[in-house]
C-alpha cells in the first residue's frame, strides 16, 4: 500500500497544473468580471483532465510491475503493489477531472463545494473499505484489491459531482479556443517540471527509506502519512491566498494583493508552529496507532526532525499559493528544481545500511523545504527579480 500510494499520488500530483492553472485563470477572470473566460477555462480544464486520465491508464497499467520493482518492492510487496496500482489507475480520469473542477470552483471563491465533495468522497471510501477489504455478506474479502476498488469508486463519484456543479454554474463553452489551450499548457509545462521535481524528491526519499529495510520503510511511511495530513491544513492557506491574490491582481488592486500575501504568511507560520507542537505532543499516540513495535526506535528521531520542520514547511505552502495567484509559475519551477537537486543528490549518496539513515533522510527533507521557503519569501520581500508582487514604484503605478 505504501509503495502503490506513493507512486499514484506522485503520478496524479504531476498533473495538478489542471487545478492550479485553472484556479489562477478563473480568479483573475472573476476579478475582471469576465464570465466568458471563466466558462472557457473551466470547460477546457475538465476536457483535458479526462484526456490526460485516459493517457495515464494506457501508460501506467502495463508498467505497474516495473514501477513497483523500481520502488524497492519485492516478493509479496511487489505483487500487492502491482495489483493496487492497476486498479487505482483506472480512476485516473475521475481524479484529474476532480482536480480541474476544484480549481474552477476555488478560483470562483467557492471553497465550500470542494469541501463537501472531498468529505463525501472520503466518507464513501471509509464505508466501502471494510466491506471490500474484509468481506461482508455476499461480498468476498478482496484485501489490497478491495482497498484500491474502494478508493477508485469513491473518486468516480466525486468527479461526477464536481463536474456537474461546474457545468451548472459556468455552462459548457460553445467552442474551445486554441489560445486558451496553449495558455493552460504553458502553465502546465512549468508546473509539470515543478511538480515532477517535487514528486521525484519524495519518491527518492521513500525509495531510500525502503532500501534501508522493512523497519525503516514502515517508520518512514508512518511519518509521511502524518506529514501528508498536516499538509492539508497548510494547503488551505495556499489555496485561499492563490484565489485572493489572483482576484485582486485581476482587479488591478496591487496593494490589496500584497496585503493578502502578508496575512497568508503569518497564518501559515502560526499554523506550522501549532502543527509541529501537536506532532511532538502526539508522538506516543502516533506510535500506538501507526508504528509497528520493531520500527519505534528508528521512528522517534526522524519524527522529531519532521515535527520541528513544520514552520518552514508552512511558509513553503503559503508562498507557493501566493506565487500561483500571481502567475509566477516559472520562478517556482526554478526554485523547486534547485531545492530538489541540492537535497535529492545527497539522499541518493546516503548509505542505507548506516544507523540513523532514516533520520538523515528527514534532515535532508528539511534542507529541501528550507530552500523552497527562502526562495518563496525572497520573491515577495524584498522582491527578487521581476517579482509580480514587488512594491509598486511611481513609474509602475503610472
Amino acid at each position: 500500500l505504501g509503495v502503490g500510494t506513493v507512486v499514484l499520488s506522485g503520478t496524479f500530483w504531476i498533473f495538478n497544473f489542471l487545478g492550479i492553472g485553472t484556479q489562477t485563470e478563473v480568479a483573475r477572470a472573476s476579478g475582471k468580471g469576465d464570465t466568458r473566460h471563466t466558462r472557457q477555462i473551466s470547460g477546457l480544464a475538465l476536457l483535458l483532465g479526462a484526456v490526460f486520465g485516459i493517457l495515464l491508464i494506457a501508460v501506467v497499467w502495463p508498467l505497474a510491475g516495473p514501477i513497483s520493482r523500481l520502488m524497492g518492492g519485492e516478493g509479496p510487496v511487489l505483487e500487492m503493489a502491482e495489483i493496487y496500482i492497476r486498479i487505482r489507475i483506472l480512476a485516473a480520469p475521475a481524479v484529474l477531472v476532480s482536480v480541474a473542477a476544484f480549481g474552477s470552483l476555488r478560483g470562483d471563491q467557492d471553497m465550500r463545494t470542494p469541501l463537501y465533495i472531498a468529505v463525501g468522497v472520503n466518507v464513501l471510501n471509509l464505508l466501502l473499505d471494510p466491506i471490500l477489504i474484509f468481506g461482508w455478506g455476499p461480498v468476498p474479502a478482496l484485501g489490497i484489491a478491495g482497498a484500491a476498488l474502494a478508493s477508485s469508486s469513491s473518486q468516480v463519484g466525486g468527479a461526477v459531482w464536481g463536474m456537474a456543479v461546474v457545468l451548472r454554474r459556468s455552462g459548457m463553452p460553445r467552442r474551445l479556443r486554441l489560445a486558451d489551450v496553449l495558455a493552460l499548457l504553458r502553465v502546465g509545462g512549468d508546473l509539470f517540471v515543478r511538480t515532477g521535481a517535487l514528486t521525484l524528491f519524495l519518491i527518492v526519499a521513500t525509495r531510500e527509506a525502503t532500501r534501508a529495510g522493512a523497519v525503516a520503510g514502515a517508520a518512514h511511511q508512518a511519518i509521511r502519512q502524518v506529514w501528508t495530513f498536516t499538509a492539508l491544513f497548510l494547503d488551505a492557506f495556499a489555496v485561499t491566498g492563490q484565489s485572493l491574490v489572483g482576484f485582486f491582481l485581476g482587479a488591478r488592486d496591487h496593494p490589496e494583493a500584497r496585503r493578502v500575501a502578508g496575512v497568508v504568511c503569518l497564518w501559515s507560520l502560526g499554523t506550522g508552529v501549532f502543527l509541529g507542537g501537536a506532532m511532538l505532543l502526539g508522538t506516543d499516540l502516533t506510535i500506538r496507532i501507526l508504528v509497528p513495535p520493531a520500527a519505534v526506535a528508528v521512528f522517534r528521531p526522524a519524527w522529531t526532525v519532521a515535527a520541528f520542520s513544520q514552520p518552514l514547511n508552512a511558509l513553503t505552502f503559503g508562498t507557493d499559493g501566493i506565487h500561483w495567484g500571481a502567475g509566477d509559475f516559472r520562478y517556482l519551477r526554478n526554485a523547486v528544481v534547485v531545492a530538489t537537486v541540492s537535497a535529492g543528490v545527497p539522499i541518493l549518496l546516503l548509505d542505507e545500511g548506516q544507523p540513523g539513515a532514516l533520520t538523515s533522510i528527514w534532515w535532508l527533507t528539511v534542507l529541501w523545504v528550507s530552500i523552497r521557503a527562502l526562495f518563496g519569501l525572497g520573491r515577495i520581500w524584498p522582491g527578487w527579480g521581476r517579482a509580480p508582487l514587488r512594491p509598486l514604484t511611481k513609474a509602475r503605478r503610472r
Side-chain angles (χ1 to χ4, degrees):
L1 181 63
V3 170
T5 300
V6 169
V7 169
L8 289 165
S9 61
T11 301
F12 294 143
W13 200 14
I14 290 174
F15 290 89
N16 70 349
F17 73 87
L18 289 168
I20 295 172
T22 301
Q23 183 174 339
T24 296
E25 286 295 312
V26 170
R28 290 199 169 195
S30 180
K32 295 175 183 177
D34 188 349
T35 56
R36 184 199 64 80
H37 190 59
T38 296
R39 182 170 58 251
Q40 289 287 124
I41 291 297
S42 298
L44 173 62
L46 293 173
L47 177 62
L48 288 178
V51 171
F52 283 131
I54 293 170
L55 291 176
L56 273 180
I57 294 174
V59 172
V60 174
W61 176 277
L63 296 177
I67 291 172
S68 301
R69 193 175 295 109
L70 183 64
M71 288 296 297
E74 297 177 353
V77 172
L78 174 62
E79 180 182 345
M80 288 188 287
E82 186 175 351
I83 292 171
Y84 186 80
I85 290 172
R86 281 187 169 157
I87 295 175
R88 283 289 307 278
I89 200 62
L90 293 175
V95 172
L96 299 187
V97 165
S98 295
V99 168
F102 280 23
S104 175
L105 294 169
R106 289 167 174 165
D108 201 29
Q109 315 301 320
D110 179 3
M111 306 294 169
R112 289 185 177 179
T113 301
L115 167 66
Y116 298 151
I117 295 173
V119 170
V121 166
N122 282 279
V123 168
L124 179 59
N125 200 344
L126 285 170
L127 293 174
L128 291 175
D129 267 337
I131 296 173
L132 297 177
I133 295 172
F134 304 111
W136 182 72
V139 180
L142 299 175
I144 195 76
L149 188 57
S151 296
S152 295
S153 302
S154 305
Q155 288 163 342
V156 170
V160 172
W161 185 355
M163 184 169 58
V165 174
V166 171
L167 294 179
R168 185 175 68 247
R169 182 175 301 179
S170 303
M172 279 292 294
R174 294 178 182 176
R175 61 187 179 89
L176 298 177
R177 300 191 313 163
L178 180 61
D180 291 332
V181 175
L182 294 177
L184 194 57
L185 289 180
R186 277 195 297 271
V187 171
D190 290 331
L191 285 175
F192 187 90
V193 174
R194 173 194 173 273
T195 308
L198 286 171
T199 303
L200 178 63
F201 180 85
L202 296 174
I203 287 177
V204 165
T206 300
R207 178 180 182 273
E208 295 305 304
T210 303
R211 286 168 61 89
V215 168
H220 179 75
Q221 179 65 10
I223 298 171
R224 191 178 183 280
Q225 287 295 337
V226 175
W227 180 276
T228 302
F229 176 69
T230 59
L232 301 178
F233 290 88
L234 305 176
D235 197 42
F237 300 113
V239 169
T240 306
Q242 179 186 356
S243 286
L244 291 175
V245 167
F247 178 88
F248 287 117
L249 288 180
R252 297 183 179 276
D253 192 345
H254 188 276
E256 194 67 10
R258 279 185 59 82
R259 193 174 76 85
V260 167
V263 172
V264 167
C265 287
L266 286 175
W267 273 98
S268 296
L269 181 61
T271 304
V273 172
F274 171 79
L275 290 173
M279 286 177 66
L280 292 173
L281 291 174
T283 301
D284 291 337
L285 177 62
T286 304
I287 289 173
R288 285 199 297 272
I289 296 174
L290 296 178
V291 185
V296 172
V298 176
F299 169 85
R300 280 186 180 274
W303 171 263
T304 302
V305 172
F308 277 110
S309 72
Q310 283 292 5
L312 282 170
N313 194 36
L315 288 173
T316 298
F317 273 83
T319 54
D320 276 0
I322 291 165
H323 297 311
W324 288 335
D328 207 2
F329 300 110
R330 182 167 298 181
Y331 177 82
L332 285 178
R333 177 201 68 187
N334 296 339
V336 172
V337 169
V338 170
T340 297
V341 171
S342 301
V345 171
I347 286 183
L348 288 173
L349 297 176
L350 278 176
D351 179 6
E352 302 94 345
Q354 70 176 1
L358 182 62
T359 304
S360 298
I361 289 172
W362 277 95
W363 272 119
L364 288 167
T365 302
V366 173
L367 173 64
W368 180 64
V369 167
S370 300
I371 294 172
R372 292 171 55 208
L374 176 63
F375 273 90
L377 290 171
R379 188 68 160 177
I380 307 169
W381 304 283
W384 294 340
R386 301 177 63 180
L389 287 176
R390 186 167 40 177
L392 291 175
T393 62
K394 290 183 179 179
R396 289 184 69 195
R397 289 192 189 98
R398 288 198 294 270

